Amino acid sequence: MKRYEAYAAQIAEMIATGALKPGDRIPTVRDAGRQQGISPATVFRAYYLLESRGLIVARPRSGYYVSALPERVPPPVVSQPLQQSTAVEKADLIYEVLGAAKQPQIVPLGSAFPSVRLFPLDKLARSVSRGMRAFDPGRVVADLSPGNAELRRLIALRYRIDGLRVSADEIVVTDGAMEALNLCLLAVTKPGDAVILESPTFYGALQALERLHLRAIEIPTDPLSGIDLQALATVLRRQRPAACWLMPSFQNPLGSLMPESRKAELVQLLAEHEVPLIEDDVYGDLYYAAQRPRPAKAFDQQGLVLHCSSFSKSLAPGYRIGWVAPGRYVRQLQRLKLGTTLSAAMPSQVALADYLSGSGFDPHLRRLRERLAEQRDAMAAAVAEFFPKGTRATRPEGGYFMWLELPRNIDTLSLHRQALRKGISIAPGALFSARNDFAHCLRLNYGHPDDRRVNRALRTLGQLAAALQR
Amino acid sequence: MKRYEAYAAQIAEMIATGALKPGDRIPTVRDAGRQQGISPATVFRAYYLLESRGLIVARPRSGYYVSALPERVPPPVVSQPLQQSTAVEKADLIYEVLGAAKQPQIVPLGSAFPSVRLFPLDKLARSVSRGMRAFDPGRVVADLSPGNAELRRLIALRYRIDGLRVSADEIVVTDGAMEALNLCLLAVTKPGDAVILESPTFYGALQALERLHLRAIEIPTDPLSGIDLQALATVLRRQRPAACWLMPSFQNPLGSLMPESRKAELVQLLAEHEVPLIEDDVYGDLYYAAQRPRPAKAFDQQGLVLHCSSFSKSLAPGYRIGWVAPGRYVRQLQRLKLGTTLSAAMPSQVALADYLSGSGFDPHLRRLRERLAEQRDAMAAAVAEFFPKGTRATRPEGGYFMWLELPRNIDTLSLHRQALRKGISIAPGALFSARNDFAHCLRLNYGHPDDRRVNRALRTLGQLAAALQR
């Protein structure tokens, strides 16, 4: 057992025995380091591990606390998908469910988007005007693909601040991370290939596989710490997947966060089999702990990690600006972007370049993360209060999705239909698997301000679920 | 022979015998109608036919004139491609040639884009600011796919003005027409299918086929009047193409314009075989004659025509706003857009909605068309003056591309490499075919203001071509 694991086990023991109670503050990094004679880095790793297990939570600028209600709503169990490649035919269901929830009056607990009120849209609008005034029209053609040079420089700068070396030349600006994912799949697969996914996985990935005639291999995934690396290793030995598409930080829909040591292991494992990793990191900036979790890309020695992200979840919904840092696949990605949609929209690119060149992004992100952490707590409390006994739920340390596992006999597609009639949307579990797993699970969005409307909706959902159980 | 054909033959005869000389004005529609006792519509059809054969040209607000220099530079011959389905492997060549020509100092005769100086970019920038101020952020999610409601309404209105019935609900806003093409192919094909193309065809279509693992069937195409319908009928009977991708108006690279009667025939022929037509109409607004040529979509009874267009060539390069009116495939297109790139960028959409709600678009288009017609004449004169004897060239009645057929022993890939060293780009013929046809052809862009730089470049090209001939 490593040093940080030993210290983590010691704290876990204190929580299990009741020496530390829900809501108690645990020692600060400095105090713990002094008391135990270990480095702050070691304490941090221990606290990350505890956090990823749901035992403690970080509160920004305050410290770490024992998680509330660890018994009332335990985390969901690790998924057990059939680990064989599957043709994907989910588009009809996905479209039907998402389409039904589109009316503006609905309480959007099934939505993939956080509330637009969380974003500095006025400031961005001013950045659009300022950026357009300053823009040299002669650059329209020069900026086509891989994208506006200044924007790429500013994105590369943010990587550097996070400790990653990604040059502006490696970055291809895309129309959101969804396009980045699609182009990455086009770059590294051909029809009939199999792609490794988490279980459950984001339905957008399932749709992309279906569209490109790819097969899915779903791997057991821990709701707290992400994909099961042993199961992955077995699949890599026995099958020949063309690629692996994962969200190592704040996975959609679980909210799981792979600890950094497991990310490093993941990257090494895939490199041994020369399997490219398409890493979707759109929620990476929405961490509630003290530091941004490093992406798998940080551990990439071989250029096999295609790191995708966007500003849609963190800053500028609707601007459709994402990007990919595709490692050794950079030329393929530049080409694919040029050949499919040519370039991202120029007004959006110059607006974001203008905004990022100012100092507003980090203060905005801090406020956003605080709001999301508060909203998670509120939703966790409501779920504990309103949902049937036997419900399990994640308590993510970032992003804005919570994954619920209801008692087995509750069908969440029925719950979805009944909830819609009451003006509430949810994302039923069936959307998140190529087979028909997760029929008793659902994803809730807590990216909308916690208010009486949301609280009432959660109460209604809990009642509907209880009625379905009978 | 129909009435209009008889009158057209009469005028053609007068040109052939010298009774009408290059530059002479031909009778106005009113005069001709009175003299011949035929309706204005019949005269119009006759003049369209003569125009499509390159015998006469329209000058906006002035009338029809006998084409200049019809003998010196005759039109290229009809292509004779091998009409069997071919796997496409052209991406490397296309990317190499286009990539080499990207430097800003180059004279961009090989470019796919007209000069940005032809567009009202200042006014558009003001529309961005105004649109963003007026935009309700709450609509970001509602406007996702199929796109901003006001913009779709304004696009539908333009269809109506052109005499087409396309409702706003049928329109899916895309990131340019390139994405529209890609999504249409995804909607109506699966890997291994064959798609009918013109010969020569736009290299973007070849790239799309290659990316989606589709096969190409290239059909003989008349440089003046478009795809050969008899050859098409034969292929439809013998092979089972999944779709047909064409540019019936001002085809890239030929500039050919299918007369409306042939468009109607095309639509009927494809409907008989239930083959969808993906119609790329991005140059349709850039006509030099008195009236916009109606697209094939105007003749569609079955909902089998997926009509694609964009503002990139006519108004707002870099804004990346195109659209598709996909007929019976509207639900598939909505889905595909949502699943691949989610939605077009909101700032671009609100900017165009603001601009189109004003009265500036049509006056801008008139000026743009006049400029392009002038630049075509200047380039045609320079080609006649500088290029080797035996050169053939189109004289398009819209768009901004001219197609040159050089004497057979001139290899235009060599010409491309030599021209690049002299700071001039061209688009060599090899880019425009799935096989290696058109090795002695090239496409020139006359969308850049005719100035001494362009004139010198054409002189240099002519000299290089002559030297290659020896």
Short mmCIF file of all heavy atoms in Angstrom, two decimals, chain B residues 300-333:
data_model
loop_
_atom_site.label_atom_id
_atom_site.label_comp_id
_atom_site.label_asym_id
_atom_site.label_seq_id
_atom_site.Cartn_x
_atom_site.Cartn_y
_atom_site.Cartn_z
N ASP B 300 -39.94 19.31 -57.99
CA ASP B 300 -40.01 18.10 -57.16
C ASP B 300 -41.43 17.86 -56.67
O ASP B 300 -41.98 18.67 -55.93
CB ASP B 300 -39.03 18.27 -55.99
CG ASP B 300 -39.01 17.06 -55.07
OD1 ASP B 300 -39.34 15.94 -55.55
OD2 ASP B 300 -38.65 17.23 -53.90
N GLN B 301 -42.02 16.75 -57.09
CA GLN B 301 -43.37 16.40 -56.63
C GLN B 301 -43.33 15.40 -55.48
O GLN B 301 -44.30 15.25 -54.74
CB GLN B 301 -44.18 15.75 -57.78
CG GLN B 301 -44.23 16.54 -59.06
CD GLN B 301 -45.17 17.73 -58.96
OE1 GLN B 301 -46.19 17.66 -58.28
NE2 GLN B 301 -44.83 18.83 -59.60
N GLN B 302 -42.22 14.69 -55.35
CA GLN B 302 -42.15 13.52 -54.48
C GLN B 302 -41.41 13.78 -53.16
O GLN B 302 -41.29 12.86 -52.35
CB GLN B 302 -41.41 12.39 -55.21
CG GLN B 302 -41.87 12.13 -56.62
CD GLN B 302 -43.13 11.29 -56.65
OE1 GLN B 302 -43.31 10.42 -55.81
NE2 GLN B 302 -44.01 11.56 -57.59
N GLY B 303 -40.88 14.97 -53.01
CA GLY B 303 -40.06 15.21 -51.81
C GLY B 303 -38.72 14.52 -51.86
O GLY B 303 -38.09 14.27 -50.84
N LEU B 304 -38.26 14.20 -53.08
CA LEU B 304 -36.99 13.47 -53.23
C LEU B 304 -35.79 14.39 -53.42
O LEU B 304 -34.66 13.93 -53.52
CB LEU B 304 -37.08 12.51 -54.43
CG LEU B 304 -37.70 11.15 -54.15
CD1 LEU B 304 -37.98 10.42 -55.46
CD2 LEU B 304 -36.76 10.31 -53.28
N VAL B 305 -36.05 15.71 -53.54
CA VAL B 305 -34.93 16.64 -53.73
C VAL B 305 -34.54 17.27 -52.40
O VAL B 305 -35.36 17.88 -51.72
CB VAL B 305 -35.28 17.74 -54.76
CG1 VAL B 305 -34.11 18.71 -54.91
CG2 VAL B 305 -35.63 17.12 -56.11
N LEU B 306 -33.27 17.08 -52.03
CA LEU B 306 -32.71 17.72 -50.83
C LEU B 306 -31.95 18.95 -51.33
O LEU B 306 -30.86 18.82 -51.90
CB LEU B 306 -31.78 16.76 -50.09
CG LEU B 306 -32.39 15.42 -49.64
CD1 LEU B 306 -32.13 14.33 -50.67
CD2 LEU B 306 -31.85 15.00 -48.28
N HIS B 307 -32.54 20.11 -51.15
CA HIS B 307 -31.98 21.34 -51.72
C HIS B 307 -31.06 22.02 -50.70
O HIS B 307 -31.49 22.44 -49.64
CB HIS B 307 -33.12 22.29 -52.10
CG HIS B 307 -32.67 23.55 -52.76
ND1 HIS B 307 -32.66 24.77 -52.12
CD2 HIS B 307 -32.19 23.78 -54.01
CE1 HIS B 307 -32.21 25.70 -52.96
NE2 HIS B 307 -31.93 25.13 -54.11
N CYS B 308 -29.77 22.12 -51.05
CA CYS B 308 -28.76 22.69 -50.14
C CYS B 308 -28.29 24.04 -50.66
O CYS B 308 -28.05 24.20 -51.85
CB CYS B 308 -27.53 21.79 -50.06
SG CYS B 308 -27.89 20.09 -49.60
N SER B 309 -28.15 25.01 -49.76
CA SER B 309 -27.56 26.27 -50.17
C SER B 309 -26.88 26.91 -48.97
O SER B 309 -26.82 26.32 -47.89
CB SER B 309 -28.60 27.19 -50.79
OG SER B 309 -27.96 28.25 -51.46
N SER B 310 -26.36 28.12 -49.16
CA SER B 310 -25.68 28.80 -48.05
C SER B 310 -25.53 30.27 -48.36
O SER B 310 -25.78 30.72 -49.48
CB SER B 310 -24.31 28.19 -47.81
OG SER B 310 -23.30 28.89 -48.50
N PHE B 311 -25.12 31.04 -47.35
CA PHE B 311 -24.81 32.46 -47.54
C PHE B 311 -23.32 32.68 -47.76
O PHE B 311 -22.89 33.82 -47.91
CB PHE B 311 -25.29 33.27 -46.34
CG PHE B 311 -26.78 33.26 -46.16
CD1 PHE B 311 -27.37 32.58 -45.12
CD2 PHE B 311 -27.60 33.92 -47.07
CE1 PHE B 311 -28.76 32.56 -44.97
CE2 PHE B 311 -28.98 33.91 -46.94
CZ PHE B 311 -29.56 33.23 -45.88
N SER B 312 -22.54 31.61 -47.76
CA SER B 312 -21.08 31.78 -47.80
C SER B 312 -20.58 32.37 -49.11
O SER B 312 -19.57 33.06 -49.13
CB SER B 312 -20.39 30.44 -47.56
OG SER B 312 -20.77 29.91 -46.31
N LYS B 313 -21.28 32.08 -50.21
CA LYS B 313 -20.81 32.56 -51.52
C LYS B 313 -21.52 33.85 -51.93
O LYS B 313 -21.10 34.50 -52.86
CB LYS B 313 -21.12 31.52 -52.59
CG LYS B 313 -20.82 30.11 -52.22
CD LYS B 313 -19.35 29.87 -52.11
CE LYS B 313 -19.06 28.38 -51.94
NZ LYS B 313 -17.64 28.14 -51.77
N SER B 314 -22.62 34.16 -51.27
CA SER B 314 -23.43 35.28 -51.74
C SER B 314 -23.42 36.46 -50.78
O SER B 314 -23.74 37.57 -51.17
CB SER B 314 -24.88 34.82 -51.93
OG SER B 314 -25.40 34.36 -50.69
N LEU B 315 -23.04 36.24 -49.52
CA LEU B 315 -23.21 37.31 -48.54
C LEU B 315 -22.18 37.31 -47.43
O LEU B 315 -21.57 38.35 -47.16
CB LEU B 315 -24.62 37.20 -47.92
CG LEU B 315 -24.95 38.19 -46.80
CD1 LEU B 315 -24.92 39.61 -47.35
CD2 LEU B 315 -26.32 37.87 -46.18
N ALA B 316 -21.99 36.19 -46.77
CA ALA B 316 -21.31 36.20 -45.48
C ALA B 316 -20.28 35.08 -45.33
O ALA B 316 -20.47 34.16 -44.55
CB ALA B 316 -22.36 36.10 -44.37
N PRO B 317 -19.16 35.19 -46.08
CA PRO B 317 -18.13 34.16 -45.92
C PRO B 317 -17.61 34.16 -44.49
O PRO B 317 -17.47 35.22 -43.89
CB PRO B 317 -17.04 34.58 -46.91
CG PRO B 317 -17.28 36.03 -47.17
CD PRO B 317 -18.75 36.25 -47.02
N GLY B 318 -17.37 32.99 -43.95
CA GLY B 318 -16.85 32.90 -42.59
C GLY B 318 -17.93 32.78 -41.53
O GLY B 318 -17.64 32.39 -40.40
N TYR B 319 -19.17 33.13 -41.88
CA TYR B 319 -20.24 33.02 -40.88
C TYR B 319 -20.72 31.57 -40.75
O TYR B 319 -21.36 31.22 -39.78
CB TYR B 319 -21.42 33.94 -41.22
CG TYR B 319 -21.15 35.37 -40.82
CD1 TYR B 319 -20.13 36.10 -41.43
CD2 TYR B 319 -21.88 35.99 -39.82
CE1 TYR B 319 -19.86 37.40 -41.05
CE2 TYR B 319 -21.62 37.29 -39.44
CZ TYR B 319 -20.61 37.99 -40.05
OH TYR B 319 -20.35 39.28 -39.67
N ARG B 320 -20.43 30.78 -41.76
CA ARG B 320 -20.75 29.35 -41.75
C ARG B 320 -22.23 29.10 -41.54
O ARG B 320 -22.62 28.33 -40.65
CB ARG B 320 -19.92 28.59 -40.69
CG ARG B 320 -18.44 28.82 -40.74
CD ARG B 320 -17.79 28.54 -42.07
NE ARG B 320 -18.09 27.20 -42.56
CZ ARG B 320 -18.45 26.96 -43.82
NH1 ARG B 320 -18.59 27.93 -44.71
NH2 ARG B 320 -18.68 25.73 -44.22
N ILE B 321 -23.04 29.76 -42.35
CA ILE B 321 -24.47 29.48 -42.30
C ILE B 321 -24.94 28.99 -43.66
O ILE B 321 -24.90 29.71 -44.66
CB ILE B 321 -25.28 30.73 -41.88
CG1 ILE B 321 -24.88 31.18 -40.47
CG2 ILE B 321 -26.79 30.42 -41.94
CD1 ILE B 321 -25.24 30.22 -39.35
N GLY B 322 -25.33 27.76 -43.69
CA GLY B 322 -25.97 27.17 -44.86
C GLY B 322 -27.28 26.56 -44.40
O GLY B 322 -27.69 26.71 -43.26
N TRP B 323 -27.94 25.86 -45.32
CA TRP B 323 -29.17 25.19 -44.92
C TRP B 323 -29.49 24.10 -45.93
O TRP B 323 -28.92 24.03 -47.01
CB TRP B 323 -30.34 26.16 -44.80
CG TRP B 323 -30.83 26.72 -46.10
CD1 TRP B 323 -31.79 26.20 -46.92
CD2 TRP B 323 -30.34 27.90 -46.75
NE1 TRP B 323 -31.96 27.00 -48.01
CE2 TRP B 323 -31.08 28.05 -47.95
CE3 TRP B 323 -29.36 28.85 -46.45
CZ2 TRP B 323 -30.86 29.10 -48.85
CZ3 TRP B 323 -29.14 29.89 -47.33
CH2 TRP B 323 -29.90 30.01 -48.52
N VAL B 324 -30.44 23.26 -45.53
CA VAL B 324 -30.97 22.26 -46.44
C VAL B 324 -32.48 22.21 -46.28
O VAL B 324 -33.00 22.31 -45.16
CB VAL B 324 -30.29 20.88 -46.24
CG1 VAL B 324 -30.27 20.48 -44.79
CG2 VAL B 324 -30.96 19.79 -47.07
N ALA B 325 -33.16 22.12 -47.42
CA ALA B 325 -34.60 21.88 -47.43
C ALA B 325 -34.74 20.45 -47.97
O ALA B 325 -34.72 20.24 -49.18
CB ALA B 325 -35.31 22.89 -48.31
N PRO B 326 -34.84 19.47 -47.06
CA PRO B 326 -34.60 18.08 -47.45
C PRO B 326 -35.84 17.29 -47.87
O PRO B 326 -35.76 16.06 -47.93
CB PRO B 326 -33.97 17.48 -46.20
CG PRO B 326 -34.42 18.34 -45.07
CD PRO B 326 -34.99 19.61 -45.62
N GLY B 327 -36.95 17.97 -48.16
CA GLY B 327 -38.11 17.22 -48.63
C GLY B 327 -38.53 16.16 -47.64
O GLY B 327 -38.64 16.43 -46.44
N ARG B 328 -38.75 14.96 -48.13
CA ARG B 328 -39.26 13.90 -47.25
C ARG B 328 -38.23 13.44 -46.21
O ARG B 328 -38.56 12.66 -45.33
CB ARG B 328 -39.71 12.69 -48.08
CG ARG B 328 -38.61 12.00 -48.85
CD ARG B 328 -39.05 10.62 -49.38
NE ARG B 328 -39.85 10.73 -50.59
CZ ARG B 328 -40.07 9.71 -51.43
NH1 ARG B 328 -39.52 8.51 -51.17
NH2 ARG B 328 -40.79 9.87 -52.50
N TYR B 329 -36.98 13.91 -46.33
CA TYR B 329 -35.95 13.47 -45.40
C TYR B 329 -35.78 14.45 -44.23
O TYR B 329 -34.74 14.46 -43.57
CB TYR B 329 -34.62 13.29 -46.13
CG TYR B 329 -34.73 12.30 -47.27
CD1 TYR B 329 -34.90 12.73 -48.59
CD2 TYR B 329 -34.69 10.93 -47.02
CE1 TYR B 329 -35.03 11.82 -49.62
CE2 TYR B 329 -34.82 10.01 -48.05
CZ TYR B 329 -35.00 10.46 -49.35
OH TYR B 329 -35.12 9.56 -50.36
N VAL B 330 -36.76 15.29 -44.00
CA VAL B 330 -36.56 16.38 -43.03
C VAL B 330 -36.27 15.86 -41.62
O VAL B 330 -35.40 16.39 -40.92
CB VAL B 330 -37.75 17.37 -43.06
CG1 VAL B 330 -39.06 16.71 -42.69
CG2 VAL B 330 -37.48 18.57 -42.17
N ARG B 331 -36.95 14.81 -41.22
CA ARG B 331 -36.70 14.31 -39.85
C ARG B 331 -35.30 13.73 -39.72
O ARG B 331 -34.62 13.95 -38.72
CB ARG B 331 -37.76 13.28 -39.46
CG ARG B 331 -39.10 13.95 -39.09
CD ARG B 331 -40.14 12.92 -38.69
NE ARG B 331 -39.70 12.12 -37.56
CZ ARG B 331 -39.88 12.49 -36.29
NH1 ARG B 331 -40.48 13.62 -36.00
NH2 ARG B 331 -39.44 11.73 -35.31
N GLN B 332 -34.87 12.98 -40.74
CA GLN B 332 -33.51 12.45 -40.69
C GLN B 332 -32.49 13.57 -40.60
O GLN B 332 -31.51 13.49 -39.86
CB GLN B 332 -33.19 11.61 -41.93
CG GLN B 332 -33.86 10.25 -41.98
CD GLN B 332 -35.10 10.27 -42.84
OE1 GLN B 332 -35.98 11.15 -42.65
NE2 GLN B 332 -35.22 9.34 -43.75
N LEU B 333 -32.70 14.63 -41.39
CA LEU B 333 -31.73 15.73 -41.38
C LEU B 333 -31.71 16.45 -40.03
O LEU B 333 -30.64 16.80 -39.52
CB LEU B 333 -32.03 16.71 -42.52
CG LEU B 333 -31.20 16.55 -43.79
CD1 LEU B 333 -29.75 16.97 -43.55
CD2 LEU B 333 -31.23 15.14 -44.34
#
